[in-house]
Coordinates of all heavy atoms in Angstrom, one line a residue:
L82 N 136.2 111.6 88.4 CA 135.3 112.5 89.2 C 135.8 112.7 90.6 O 135.3 113.6 91.3 CB 133.9 112.0 89.1 CG 133.2 112.3 87.8 CD1 131.9 111.5 87.8 CD2 132.9 113.7 87.6
M206 N 126.0 121.3 76.2 CA 127.1 121.4 75.3 C 127.7 122.8 75.3 O 129.0 122.9 75.2 CB 126.7 120.9 73.9 CG 126.3 119.5 73.8 SD 127.6 118.4 74.3 CE 128.9 118.8 73.2
D219 N 143.6 128.5 81.0 CA 144.1 128.4 82.4 C 143.7 129.7 83.1 O 144.5 130.5 83.7 CB 145.6 128.2 82.5 CG 146.1 127.9 83.9 OD1 145.2 127.4 84.7 OD2 147.2 128.0 84.2
L277 N 113.6 118.8 114.0 CA 113.8 119.9 115.0 C 112.4 120.4 115.4 O 112.3 120.7 116.6 CB 114.6 121.0 114.4 CG 116.1 120.6 114.1 CD1 116.8 121.8 113.3 CD2 116.8 120.3 115.4
H355 N 123.9 81.3 99.1 CA 124.2 81.0 97.7 C 123.2 81.7 96.8 O 122.0 81.4 96.9 CB 124.2 79.5 97.5 CG 125.4 78.8 98.2 ND1 126.5 78.4 97.5 CD2 125.5 78.4 99.5 CE1 127.3 77.8 98.4 NE2 126.7 77.8 99.6
M371 N 118.1 102.3 111.6 CA 117.3 102.3 112.8 C 117.1 100.9 113.4 O 116.1 100.6 114.1 CB 115.9 102.9 112.5 CG 116.0 104.4 112.1 SD 114.5 105.3 112.2 CE 113.6 104.5 110.8
H470 N 99.9 112.5 89.0 CA 99.4 112.8 87.7 C 99.5 111.6 86.8 O 100.6 111.0 86.7 CB 100.1 114.0 87.1 CG 99.8 114.3 85.7 ND1 98.5 114.6 85.3 CD2 100.5 114.3 84.6 CE1 98.5 114.9 84.0 NE2 99.7 114.7 83.6
R495 N 94.3 100.8 74.6 CA 94.4 101.7 75.7 C 95.7 102.6 75.7 O 95.7 103.7 76.2 CB 94.4 100.9 77.0 CG 93.0 100.3 77.3 CD 93.0 99.7 78.7 NE 91.7 99.1 79.0 CZ 91.2 98.7 80.2 NH1 92.1 98.8 81.2 NH2 90.1 98.2 80.3
K500 N 100.0 96.6 67.7 CA 99.8 95.3 68.3 C 101.1 94.5 68.3 O 101.4 93.7 69.3 CB 98.8 94.5 67.5 CG 98.4 93.1 68.1 CD 97.4 92.4 67.3 CE 97.1 91.0 67.9 NZ 96.1 90.3 67.1
G528 N 104.3 67.6 98.0 CA 105.3 66.8 98.6 C 105.0 65.3 98.6 O 103.8 64.9 98.4
L576 N 104.3 63.3 116.2 CA 104.9 61.9 116.4 C 106.2 61.8 115.6 O 106.4 62.4 114.6 CB 104.0 60.9 115.9 CG 102.7 60.7 116.8 CD1 101.7 59.7 116.1 CD2 103.0 60.1 118.2
K682 N 88.6 87.8 94.9 CA 90.0 88.3 95.0 C 90.6 87.8 96.3 O 91.8 87.4 96.4 CB 90.0 89.8 94.9 CG 89.7 90.4 93.5 CD 89.8 91.9 93.5 CE 89.5 92.4 92.1 NZ 89.6 93.9 92.1
L690 N 98.7 82.5 99.0 CA 99.6 82.5 100.2 C 99.7 81.0 100.7 O 100.8 80.6 101.1 CB 99.0 83.4 101.3 CG 99.1 84.9 101.0 CD1 98.3 85.7 102.0 CD2 100.6 85.3 101.0
N693 N 102.0 79.0 98.5 CA 103.4 79.4 98.7 C 104.0 78.8 100.0 O 105.1 78.4 100.0 CB 103.5 80.9 98.7 CG 103.3 81.5 97.3 OD1 103.6 80.9 96.3 ND2 102.9 82.8 97.3
L755 N 81.9 77.5 100.2 CA 82.7 78.3 99.3 C 82.7 77.8 97.8 O 83.1 78.4 96.9 CB 84.1 78.5 99.7 CG 84.2 79.3 101.0 CD1 85.7 79.6 101.3 CD2 83.5 80.7 100.9
I763 N 92.3 74.1 96.0 CA 92.7 73.1 97.0 C 93.0 71.8 96.3 O 92.6 71.5 95.1 CB 91.6 72.8 98.0 CG1 90.3 72.4 97.4 CG2 91.5 74.1 98.9 CD1 89.2 72.2 98.4
R774 N 72.5 57.2 111.6 CA 72.5 55.9 112.1 C 73.3 55.7 113.4 O 74.3 56.5 113.5 CB 73.0 54.9 111.0 CG 72.2 54.9 109.8 CD 72.8 54.0 108.7 NE 73.9 54.6 108.0 CZ 75.1 54.2 108.1 NH1 75.4 53.1 108.8 NH2 76.1 54.8 107.4
A785 N 88.3 58.8 132.2 CA 89.2 59.9 132.8 C 88.4 60.6 133.9 O 87.2 60.7 133.8 CB 89.6 60.9 131.7
E794 N 84.3 74.2 131.4 CA 85.1 74.7 130.3 C 84.6 74.2 128.9 O 84.9 74.7 127.9 CB 86.5 74.3 130.4 CG 87.3 75.0 131.6 CD 88.7 74.6 131.7 OE1 89.1 73.7 130.9 OE2 89.4 75.1 132.5
D829 N 83.9 61.3 103.3 CA 84.0 61.1 101.9 C 85.2 61.9 101.3 O 85.4 63.0 101.6 CB 82.7 61.6 101.2 CG 81.5 60.7 101.4 OD1 80.9 60.9 102.5 OD2 81.3 59.9 100.5
N856 N 86.1 48.2 105.4 CA 85.7 48.3 104.0 C 85.7 49.8 103.6 O 84.9 50.6 104.1 CB 84.4 47.7 103.8 CG 84.4 46.2 103.9 OD1 85.4 45.6 103.7 ND2 83.3 45.6 104.3
Y861 N 83.0 56.8 93.2 CA 82.9 57.1 91.8 C 84.0 56.3 91.1 O 85.1 56.1 91.6 CB 83.2 58.6 91.5 CG 82.2 59.5 92.1 CD1 82.7 60.5 93.0 CD2 80.9 59.4 92.0 CE1 81.8 61.4 93.6 CE2 80.0 60.3 92.6 CZ 80.5 61.3 93.4 OH 79.6 62.1 94.0

Side-chain angles (χ1 to χ4, degrees):
L82 285 167
M206 291 305 300
D219 195 21
L277 292 172
H355 292 261
M371 295 198 290
H470 175 60
R495 294 188 177 192
K500 186 178 177 181
L576 292 170
K682 289 181 177 179
L690 290 169
N693 285 338
L755 294 184
I763 56 181
R774 295 177 285 116
E794 289 180 358
D829 285 85
N856 291 332
Y861 304 123

